[in-house]
Amino acid sequence: MGDPGVRSYRTVFISDIHLGTKGCQAELLLDFIRHIECETLYLVGDIVDGWKLRSGWHWPQAHNDVVQKILRMARKGVKVIYVPGNHDEGVRDFVGVHFGGVIVARDAIHETADGKRFLVVHGDEFDGVVQHARWLAFVGDYAYRVLIAANTLFNRVRRRLGFGYWSFSAFLKTRVKNALQFVENFEAAVADEARRRGVDGVICGHIHKAEMRDIDGIAYINDGDWVESCSALVEHSDGRLEILEWAKLRSWSAIDHKGRRPEPFLEPLAEPAAA
């Protein structure tokens, strides 16, 4: 509590970390975890990338540190709920099991402090490619990892020049018509499921696009990812929900590849604006 940058939240939602891949922004995530306190932490799928680890092992110390930090949070009394995704689908075989204080669930219903109920689900169930053309999903995943690797090299140059993080794949999602249509179809399908379940909204991940909007009376919230946007969804003590883009809130350029941070990086963050 001595660090003026530490913030307290009722609930934190993170997804699509993709530990085990070179594109994972583990250092930024570690910094985020160091600067938050919460009562409940939801891991909303694709935490470990089993697809990538089956084809080649990549597990630097920072990835191990993320796992250890989360387990330490659970040991200290934080309620950690793990909702697996398609990249860590093997964990779905352990629904209902507790691992070191981490609860594995197929999905969950979260009630905010102001009484709203949200379906928490990764979202791959509503992705037609993942469900009906699995081979194409693997091909797309490989192409995506190549794009992220190129983007990582590009951002190393930007960082040395003093510029902030920029995501090429996120840029494409907002410019390419087919990508936009896929995102819109996904969002509508997830919102329909929340409506069918009789809840106020849905909190999901999967498509690596942080978003918070209304879809025909259903609150659609995507907490983003820790490959591109480096974002999380947080619930304040009064139930207010907010998306934090950590790479923008913190001095991304001040973090080197070993996760070291100079002193200015620890300056307190500005208080979030009122809703």
Side-chain angles (χ1 to χ4, degrees), residues 22-266:
K22 293 182 179 179
C24 171
Q25 301 283 345
E27 290 83 6
L28 267 172
L29 179 56
L30 284 168
D31 182 74
F32 173 71
I33 293 173
R34 291 185 187 109
H35 287 82
I36 62 162
E37 292 177 345
C38 61
E39 299 172 19
T40 304
L41 172 66
Y42 283 93
L43 305 173
V44 195
D46 287 1
I47 305 305
V48 176
D49 197 319
W51 290 12
K52 173 59 179 69
L53 289 176
R54 282 197 293 267
S55 63
W57 190 258
H58 176 77
W59 197 266
Q61 183 60 44
H63 294 208
N64 194 60
D65 291 344
V66 168
V67 174
Q68 294 302 319
K69 285 282 187 183
I70 292 172
L71 291 176
R72 189 172 298 119
M73 291 174 72
R75 288 196 301 270
K76 290 185 176 180
V78 175
K79 185 177 182 181
V80 181
I81 301 173
Y82 186 177
V83 178
N86 51 307
H87 282 258
D88 48 11
E89 60 192 348
V91 182
R92 288 173 173 162
D93 295 335
F94 301 95
V95 166
V97 177
H98 292 214
F99 290 103
V102 177
I103 306 166
V104 180
R106 187 66 180 81
D107 54 40
I109 301 295
H110 175 74
E111 184 169 340
T112 59
D114 56 357
K116 292 185 176 65
R117 298 172 69 244
F118 286 84
L119 170 66
V120 182
V121 61
H122 178 65
D124 59 288
E125 304 95 322
F126 308 97
D127 182 340
V129 174
V130 171
Q131 295 301 312
H132 305 296
R134 193 171 176 82
W135 67 271
L136 186 57
F138 280 108
V139 171
D141 177 65
Y142 176 76
Y144 176 75
R145 283 191 277 112
V146 171
L147 178 62
I148 291 298
N151 197 63
T152 299
L153 292 175
F154 174 70
N155 274 294
R156 283 179 185 169
V157 176
R158 285 179 61 87
R159 178 162 46 185
R160 288 172 183 171
L161 295 175
F163 295 107
Y165 182 80
W166 183 78
S167 172
F168 181 57
S169 61
F171 171 78
L172 290 178
K173 286 177 186 177
T174 63
R175 295 296 189 275
V176 181
K177 183 178 179 181
N178 288 343
L180 284 173
Q181 189 59 55
F182 168 80
V183 170
E184 289 174 3
N185 292 344
F186 172 84
E187 292 174 347
V190 175
D192 284 344
E193 177 64 13
R195 188 176 294 107
R196 188 185 71 81
R197 298 240 197 152
V199 295
D200 298 293
V202 60
I203 297 169
C204 61
H206 186 57
I207 60 172
H208 294 204
K209 186 177 185 294
E211 187 84 36
M212 182 183 292
R213 67 188 184 93
D214 179 270
I215 301 179
D216 298 327
I218 294 294
Y220 168 84
I221 305 175
N222 194 302
D223 62 18
D225 67 281
W226 288 87
V227 176
E228 300 173 59
S229 61
C230 297
S231 59
L233 175 70
V234 297
E235 179 194 355
H236 295 271
S237 59
D238 58 0
R240 179 168 58 92
L241 297 171
E242 178 186 12
I243 291 175
L244 301 181
E245 293 188 44
W246 200 246
K248 293 181 179 178
L249 284 171
R250 310 299 278 165
S251 279
W252 177 84
S253 61
I255 304 179
D256 69 9
H257 69 285
K258 294 182 180 179
R260 296 176 298 204
R261 297 158 295 150
E263 282 305 309
F265 190 84
L266 297 177

